[in-house]
Amino acid sequence: MDNIRTSIDSLRRDLELSELRDDLNRTRRKLRDDMELSRSYRLAAAEEELKESEAALEAVRDAVRSPRLSPTGTPYRDYLHTLRLRSLRLEEKRLLEMRRLQELERLRGPKPKWYELKTPQFHVEARKNNELLAAKRQWNDMRDYTENVWKSRDFTRSATII
């Protein structure tokens, strides 16, 4: 009888232990699922925050890059915008002057006594001479165009400086 009682007690303990193990495993699975769900929610929230902060950062970058003066901006920002506009206008003038000089170089005829040159410049001047001779019928138009390019130096008066 004692053997039966001990075996029944051991079976009860085993049953209780197996139930406890099952409860423990269920609880672990539930915690793991909750953690994964929580992690995915946290990741989604973090991604959303990141997108919002990137959008805000891009808006700030656009505001800083824009050359417009805003009445709501700070005096320092307005001064920076003014300096940026000034530098852009100077850069524009410099580029226009470079283009004008390149065009004048393209239009100019060969140097006097170019045929006596013994340097690589001889080939440049010979090409200019050949182009000039080939365009004999358009000399008047070329002369007028060259004069207009020379006069175009007055473009600097139309650009306003702050």
Side-chain angles (χ1 to χ4, degrees), residues 16-64:
E16 286 175 9
L17 283 175
S18 68
E19 286 175 358
L20 286 173
R21 281 187 202 128
D22 290 343
D23 284 344
L24 182 63
N25 287 336
R26 265 188 248 117
T27 306
R28 283 182 182 164
R29 271 187 247 122
K30 185 177 180 195
L31 283 174
R32 192 177 313 130
D33 291 344
D34 288 346
M35 284 177 51
E36 287 178 13
L37 187 62
S38 172
R39 187 179 311 140
S40 66
Y41 282 135
R42 281 184 287 167
L43 285 176
E47 287 175 357
E48 187 68 28
E49 272 184 46
L50 182 63
K51 287 178 185 175
E52 289 173 3
S53 63
E54 285 176 351
L57 181 62
E58 192 61 34
V60 168
R61 284 182 183 155
D62 289 342
V64 169

Side-chain angles (χ1 to χ4, degrees), residues 113-124:
K113 297 193 178 184
W114 62 270
Y115 44 86
E116 293 178 356
L117 291 173
K118 305 239 187 251
T119 63
Q121 188 66 26
F122 170 82
H123 300 286
V124 174

Side-chain angles (χ1 to χ4, degrees), residues 135-148:
K136 201 178 235 184
R137 293 183 180 164
Q138 297 145 355
W139 279 357
N140 290 332
D141 295 335
M142 286 175 56
R143 187 189 69 230
D144 294 339
Y145 179 68
T146 306
E147 287 174 5
N148 286 337

